[in-house]
Amino acid sequence: MPGPEPRVGYRASQKVLHWLTVLAVAAQLAVGYNLDLDDGCDPAGEDRSGGDTSDAEEERLDRLEDACEARADDHDLLGGGFDLAEVHLLLGLAVLALGVVRPLWRRVAGLPPWSEHLSPARRRLATRTERALMTLLVVVPLTGLVLVGTGDDAWVPLHVGAHVAFFVALAAHLSSNLRPAILRRMF
């Protein structure tokens, strides 16, 4: 009696974790690149308000500030008072959690055999890019948390550098996996 057929693709749980990660990272990047960390609601000239400006000028500055704050309230994506910075932080924590869970689950669930459509060179590239992406799923959010936690802009180059490394690894990953024979394994 023949044994069970070998698994061809990833387990359903691995696919779910993969696509949750893709969605979380895409949302994180969309929110992050639309994030304005500068408190732009203090209009130019606000620092002179008080005794150095006329009542009409004070009213104009107040209207500008109120309009800016109303626009900021429109960025309350989840209702309940979350602004873009808080959504970005929450998504970063989700990406970090997924970045920790995925390699652990991979050890438990194992990996399917390599696709016969991948050459040994492509297999090495896939291994390296997956390791880099898994590492960067932790590094990028951690550098962001350090940046937020310390409030020190000296961490910005490290956070941006981690993003650049992520995009390079992602481009390599996509270049080896955006082929129908490979994609079928993830759907």
Side-chain angles (χ1 to χ4, degrees):
M1 174 166 211
E5 279 190 39
R7 187 163 41 110
V8 174
Y10 289 89
R11 295 178 189 276
S13 59
Q14 291 169 306
K15 293 175 186 181
V16 167
L17 283 172
H18 175 269
W19 293 111
L20 275 175
T21 304
V22 170
L23 290 173
V25 168
Q28 173 70 333
L29 292 171
V31 170
Y33 288 117
N34 284 299
L35 189 59
D36 182 9
L37 293 176
D38 182 22
D39 183 7
C41 288
D42 287 338
E46 179 76 16
D47 57 334
R48 293 181 291 121
S49 65
D52 298 338
T53 56
S54 67
D55 287 342
E57 180 67 7
E58 285 290 325
E59 288 178 25
R60 184 184 77 77
L61 292 173
D62 287 344
R63 281 193 309 273
L64 286 172
E65 190 170 4
D66 290 344
C68 177
E69 289 170 356
R71 281 191 307 278
D73 289 344
D74 289 342
H75 287 359
D76 179 3
L77 297 179
L78 301 177
F82 287 102
D83 65 14
L84 282 178
E86 292 165 328
V87 172
H88 187 65
L89 179 63
L90 290 172
L91 285 168
L93 291 171
V95 169
L96 179 60
L98 288 164
V100 169
V101 167
R102 286 195 56 201
L104 295 175
W105 186 245
R106 202 176 244 218
R107 284 186 168 275
V108 171
L111 292 173
W114 284 105
S115 168
E116 66 277 359
H117 300 287
L118 287 176
S119 67
R122 290 239 184 224
R123 290 176 183 183
R124 283 190 300 278
L125 176 64
T127 298
R128 289 181 183 134
T129 59
E130 286 177 3
R131 285 181 182 160
L133 285 170
M134 294 290 184
T135 301
L136 290 163
L137 285 176
V138 172
V139 170
V140 173
L142 279 181
T143 59
L145 287 172
V146 169
L147 180 61
V148 168
T150 64
D152 184 356
D153 286 346
W155 288 95
V156 170
L158 183 60
H159 191 55
V160 170
H163 276 199
V164 171
F166 177 81
F167 286 125
V168 168
L170 181 62
H173 178 69
L174 292 174
S175 75
S176 66
N177 292 319
L178 282 182
R179 299 180 12 215
I182 306 302
L183 281 174
R184 277 193 293 276
R185 295 163 54 94
M186 284 308 297
F187 286 101

